[in-house]
Amino acid sequence: DEYSDPVSYKQKYMDQNAFLVYYTKGFDGPNRPSIESGEVTRQTLQYGVRNECWNAFEELEAEIKFGIKNGSAESKDILSPLNKVISSVDAYRSLSPTNIVEQAKSLL
């Protein structure tokens, strides 16, 4: 979360009042657009991709543990989740601030 945009006031409000937002269909007053209208925020994308990274990593970890336990790991069983980890980390990195990515690259 350190490399993601902070959660906006609007998102906090929607999260804390999800019941009302859902049942009023985002009504925010007469002649005003729905509170749910608009673009998907960068922060929402960042958190979504971050969660995809964790899910992909957990899937890879499960495949490795299963392969070790049963002694039946095939390369395709490991490569598929590994490729998911790589692509999701690349997606997360593409949404991270450029200066932070450059700093990390300089440490390698």
Side-chain angles (χ1 to χ4, degrees):
D1 295 346
E2 182 177 343
Y3 305 113
S4 301
D5 295 347
V7 178
S8 68
Y9 173 79
K10 177 181 172 183
Q11 187 61 50
K12 285 180 187 176
Y13 174 83
M14 288 175 51
D15 290 346
Q16 293 170 349
N17 297 288
F19 180 82
L20 291 173
V21 172
Y22 177 78
Y23 282 102
T24 62
K25 296 182 174 67
F27 179 76
D28 195 30
N31 301 319
R32 294 182 68 175
S34 168
I35 194 170
E36 295 180 300
S37 66
E39 296 180 9
V40 175
T41 64
R42 178 181 162 103
Q43 182 270 337
T44 300
L45 294 173
Q46 288 172 324
Y47 277 52
V49 174
R50 178 211 56 194
N51 293 344
E52 287 177 22
C53 289
W54 281 116
N55 291 339
F57 183 78
E58 287 175 351
E59 183 182 343
L60 175 62
E61 182 182 33
E63 285 295 337
I64 291 170
K65 284 180 179 179
F66 180 81
I68 290 170
K69 182 179 177 183
N70 294 333
S72 62
E74 295 181 22
S75 61
K76 67 178 173 113
D77 295 335
I78 303 297
L79 288 177
S80 178
L82 178 61
N83 287 330
K84 284 182 188 176
V85 169
I86 292 168
S87 64
S88 61
V89 168
D90 285 343
Y92 183 75
R93 189 183 57 164
S94 73
L95 294 171
S96 299
T98 310
N99 62 326
I100 300 295
V101 173
E102 293 304 319
Q103 262 183 334
K105 283 182 181 178
S106 71
L107 295 174
L108 295 176

